[in-house]
Amino acid sequence: MSFSHRLKQVPGMDRLFLTLVLLVAPWVGRAQQPSAPPHYAIQGARIVTVSGRAIPNGTIVMANGIITAVGTDVTIPPEAWVIDGQGLTVYPGLIDGLTTLGLPTSGPPEPPRGRGQQPQGAPRPDAPFARGPEDRPATMPWLNAADELNSEDERIERWRNAGFTTAVTSPERGLFPGQAALVNLGEGRPNDLVVKTPVALRVNFQKGEGFRGFPNSIMGVISYVEQTFLDAAHYGQAWATYESSPRGLERPDYDRALEPISDALASRRLVMLPATWRREMNRVLRIGEEIGANTLVYGAHQGYEAAETLAARNVPVLVSLNWPKRDEDADPDEDDPLEVLRFRDRAPTTPGTLQRAGVRFAFYSDGIECPGDILMHAATAIDAGLSSDAAVRAFTLGAAEIYGVADRLGSLEEGKIANVTVTDGDLFDFDTKVRTVFVDGRKFDVPEPEPREASAAGEGMRGMDRGGMDRGRRCEMRRARPRSGWTATPMVADRGPVQAPDVMVIQNATVMTVTQGTIENGSVLIRNGKIVEVGQNVSVPRDATVIDASGRFVTPGIIDAHSHIAAESINEGSISVHSHIAAESINEGSISVSAMVGIKEVLNPDEVSIYRALAGGVTTVNVLHGSANPIGGRNAVIKLRWGADAEGLLLEGAPEGIKFALGENTKRERNPPRYPSTRMGVMDVIRQAFVDAQQYQANLAEVLDGSRLVHAHSYRGDEILQLLRLAEEFGITIATFQHVLEGYRVAKEIAEHGAGASTFSDWWAYKVEAYEAIPYNAALMTEKGVLVSINSDSGEEMRHLNQEAAKAQKWGGLSETEALKLVTLNPATQLRVDDRVGSIEVGKDADLVIFDGHPLSVYAVPQTTIVDGHVYFDREHDIARRQALADEKNALLEKQRQQQRREERVVTHEGPSQGEDS
């Protein structure tokens, strides 16, 4: 029976339905099962294999999505579609190392970041509130980019037209936003695009807008991330123990947040950690080692200063091609610091520096809006010292090797996936066009851009940039933008010691030793950073550097017992990339007890306040957490070794400490409300923390056993007494009361307890609890037997702490030596480092200041500051260097202005000005 006859036997409506099914079925099947790609051969082209030498006149054959032959003597199958490659260059398909291609986006486009870290915005008022680490805010590692793919994302075609055949795509919002997948940028079902998943676990260090509460500081973020990894490692161990022998054991709970993190650690999958500055790279390398991660650093704009460290650790790097620049909307009168200008200027040298150091690296677009600009930004790196071959490799085989897919992608070799990019010239020449790309062997011809007339309307039109040009048109014109012609601007040496002799003698000075009196016409002999002789008859070794200090005074280096310099806030992650944003407070103020965070994690050795403090004679600083919490974070005692990294700043052997706080700051109203809100509640929080520490030997257990010093922010006498009694209840000795403005009222009790007091010289009435402060405070506590120091709590005041100490002599009648001790030996004793610093004695560190007058005089100015026997500040040298630094800054500003003018001419179609680079 014929098909048509059988169909006639079916009732009318059923027959109609069956007919429709039969007609639609072939199309459905075609959509679900795409036809195999045809065979192609590109003949007579220059073939850049990447894995081997380039082939000047070669042939590449592709069949069924696979490269089947590459070379000069290749037989082309008769069924292959032959493309004449004369004048063409064939590259492996380009790989964008980190994107959000194919993933859902919401809201307006984000501005370019250029950092490898997500943008930081104020949390929404209705955002969820995290009250502690247990809430796991912005932690979604179970999300896999492969499960969220949208193959209709219009960006896929745009990236493909720019020569990209593959991208690593990842969720980007949150501290643990999810897992990255490596996908081909072809067409079809989302599943057809996935090459490998997951390829990495992504971590951010900025929380974005998704939640309020903990963590709200970079200290808190780092602590949270580290703890999450520790929890995941423990989770993995618990399950491994159970699965090895489950009988008789309680089964661990399944945790969807910890499961993928544990799996990433166990399988050695890449963990992507963001870092732009050298200090951040050092930080994430340490974190990666501590958590046992297979670290991949992304961002890396200051990799030019960290290349040797990265090479030594054999850590791969994703370099953001969104080079830092000044924000278009920045205040034109805003002064960009020299550090910022240098950073913007030298960031493009990072790839070349990494190449020469042997660091494995690849590129990623990092928010570049026009995909064609990606290659031009890479061309800037070539101008700045990267070889063209290395640049090609960073977009191809380098990326494939990092992500573990070099067996299938990244080079033109037989058997690999047929991802191919065809251009009409060198990939990085500005007039080169991408002609064709092949993705999984499917051919995509790149259309010629349609000419559009630029609007003359100027600013204010929707879809237009400042020059009145449609943004799409700007993307199409990217090959009209010339390469930068980057040249290095000579950099003045302004870090590290001015002099670093092994042996030094300071002669003919008035030496104020603090502990052994004042020596007129004295000398100090220094060898290998230590004081080896002090007196009037010091012999001068033949190899010594001699400083004649005639008419000058030498004192121990000044020590500031309470400071917040050289520590980053959460918003400083965006500093200096597009504009300079000063650090905010360094509080993890979202919770009442934040003993898990620490200043050491966020030390910024590049902060200019270090150098400015040296200019004031300061050599040692106690950097403290803020005062938002009854129990805050851990401190860091540092030496001001300007030019060292964060670890190099730490004063070796200094006992660990922690910040407590009483009074107004800790109980103020917050949104949402946070306990405590009264002074009674503050004491309750501290007492309960001690009780908890007794039950669970955590951070505060070190306070209980005396191995961690307590530095307690305080003002009022009644609260000082309360904390003294609470500490004695648990057998604890408070190391210092900080500020302690009413300490004169309870000085006897402070002395009997054995606590020190670090106070202001004459600050009062700046808030209610400071109304009863008096300038006699330091002297009155000293008379009662309290070990007293004068601190700054200010990056400005710390530059004249010698004068602040002199006020205690004026108002309180302290002796010259007692006053000088307030900023030298006494803070050293409070910090338990008086065996190293604080006085001029044989065997101590050679931390010294040379003043041009008596150090307690308002007219005295530090001339030379010495740390560990090295001169880190010299006034004459500083004055001589100022013009060179000003010249460098002016040159960088002019270079920045020329770059802005070049970009404006691209928009307005103007040519270069006479005498200006094109």
Side-chain angles (χ1 to χ4, degrees), residues 202-219:
R202 184 172 181 174
V203 178
N204 289 321
F205 283 164
Q206 293 195 1
K207 68 181 186 180
E209 303 174 5
F211 69 94
R212 299 173 295 155
F214 180 85
N216 73 349
S217 70
I218 187 62
M219 289 181 292

Side-chain angles (χ1 to χ4, degrees), residues 494-540:
D494 64 345
R495 303 294 170 93
V498 176
Q499 291 179 294
D502 293 332
V503 183
M504 178 190 293
V505 175
I506 303 171
Q507 287 185 320
N508 307 319
T510 300
V511 181
M512 305 180 74
T513 68
V514 173
T515 55
Q516 298 174 359
T518 297
I519 304 171
E520 301 292 341
N521 196 30
S523 298
V524 181
L525 173 60
I526 301 164
R527 188 183 301 277
N528 297 323
K530 296 288 186 180
I531 298 170
V532 296
E533 192 174 354
V534 183
Q536 292 181 328
N537 299 306
V538 174
S539 58
V540 180

Side-chain angles (χ1 to χ4, degrees), residues 874-894:
D874 180 80
R875 185 169 175 77
E876 289 184 4
H877 181 272
D878 180 83
I879 292 172
R881 189 174 57 187
R882 289 176 190 176
Q883 186 58 52
L885 290 169
D887 291 344
E888 179 191 352
K889 184 171 183 178
N890 288 334
L892 290 168
L893 286 170
E894 178 57 29

Side-chain angles (χ1 to χ4, degrees), residues 772-836:
E772 301 299 323
I774 58 175
Y776 308 97
N777 189 39
L780 290 174
M781 288 192 291
T782 298
E783 289 177 6
K784 293 292 185 179
V786 179
L787 183 70
V788 180
S789 66
I790 296 287
N791 68 61
S792 73
D793 198 17
S794 160
E796 187 280 326
E797 183 157 306
M798 74 187 309
R799 287 178 264 164
H800 48 88
L801 274 174
N802 58 310
Q803 297 174 3
E804 300 305 304
K807 292 176 182 178
Q809 186 180 29
K810 172 180 174 57
W811 293 108
L814 295 184
S815 70
E816 181 179 277
T817 298
E818 287 175 326
L820 193 56
K821 280 183 177 182
L822 295 175
V823 291
T824 56
L825 186 60
N826 288 4
T829 304
Q830 290 174 347
L831 298 173
R832 312 295 194 264
V833 292
D834 50 306
D835 60 331
R836 294 277 303 276

Side-chain angles (χ1 to χ4, degrees), residues 39-43 59-62 76-77 80-85 438:
H39 295 193
Y40 291 97
I42 305 174
Q43 187 177 40
T59 299
I60 180 170
V61 180
M62 296 168 276
I76 300 176
W81 181 354
V82 180
I83 299 172
D84 182 4
F438 294 83

